[in-house]
């Protein structure tokens, strides 16, 4: 059973930064791609970023490119999302996701419970 536990959410002012973490367990972490998604109030869940199993490749949504950075520590079974220049419209629940392949060319199969990020103006 794969378990994903997010942490690091909270409240921040517009223009500020936060780093989210996701601790994974239940399978060999370094074999699989990981990702971050978010769901803003009243909106559908959207892709934010993904990283391949050994961090050779990353992908970002257009809206966060240049401001967010996804990374992973396979020794610690943890994936991170460093967020900067946050905008109030990025207030959302952020979800960690685990793919079933080495690269993120499918849909995630496992999800964390989410961590709230609130950006105030």
């Amino acid at each position: 059973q794969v378990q994903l536990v997010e942490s690091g959410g909270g409240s921040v002012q517009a223009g500020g930064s936060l780093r989210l973490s996701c601790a994974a367990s239940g399978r060999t972490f370094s074999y699989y791609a990981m990702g971050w998604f978010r769901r803003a109030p009243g909106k559908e869940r959207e892709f934010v970023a993904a990283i391949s199993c050994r961090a050779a490749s990353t992908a970002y949504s257009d809206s966060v490119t240049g401001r967010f950075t996804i990374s992973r520590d396979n020794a610690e079974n943890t994936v991170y999302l460093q967020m900067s220049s946050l905008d109030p419209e990025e207030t959302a629940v952020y979800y960690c996701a685990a793919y079933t392949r080495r690269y993120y060319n499918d849909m995630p199969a496992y999800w964390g419970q989410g961590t709230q990020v609130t950006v105030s103006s």
Side-chain angles (χ1 to χ4, degrees), residues 13-14 42 99 110 114 116 120:
Q13 290 192 329
Y99 292 81
Y110 304 98
Q116 176 71 44
S120 59

Side-chain angles (χ1 to χ4, degrees), residues 18-32:
L18 277 177
R19 188 177 83 154
L20 305 182
S21 300
C22 172
S25 61
R27 65 177 186 179
T28 305
F29 182 73
S30 63
Y31 285 5
Y32 303 98

Side-chain angles (χ1 to χ4, degrees), residues 9-58:
S11 297
V12 64
Q13 290 192 329
S17 300
L18 277 177
R19 188 177 83 154
L20 305 182
S21 300
C22 172
S25 61
R27 65 177 186 179
T28 305
F29 182 73
S30 63
Y31 285 5
Y32 303 98
M34 298 292 294
W36 289 95
F37 289 70
R38 66 188 178 190
R39 177 176 284 154
K43 296 186 178 181
E44 294 188 354
R45 185 172 58 196
E46 65 172 354
F47 169 78
V48 175
I51 187 166
S52 61
C53 60
R54 297 196 181 275
S57 298
T58 57

Side-chain angles (χ1 to χ4, degrees), residues 20 34-40 44-51 58-70 80-84 86 90 92-97 99 104 108 111 117:
L20 305 182
M34 298 292 294
W36 289 95
F37 289 70
R38 66 188 178 190
R39 177 176 284 154
E44 294 188 354
R45 185 172 58 196
E46 65 172 354
F47 169 78
V48 175
I51 187 166
T58 57
Y60 298 92
S61 68
D62 289 345
S63 64
V64 307
T65 297
R67 299 185 298 115
F68 289 15
T69 301
I70 188 171
Y80 304 97
L81 184 68
Q82 178 68 48
M83 307 184 293
S84 62
L86 284 161
E90 296 182 299
V93 177
Y94 283 71
Y95 297 91
C96 177
Y99 292 81
Y104 35 84
W111 299 88
V117 172

Side-chain angles (χ1 to χ4, degrees), residues 1-4 27 96-100 107-112:
Q1 183 76 14
V2 176
Q3 292 189 329
L4 304 173
R27 65 177 186 179
C96 177
Y99 292 81
T100 60
M107 285 301 295
Y110 304 98
W111 299 88

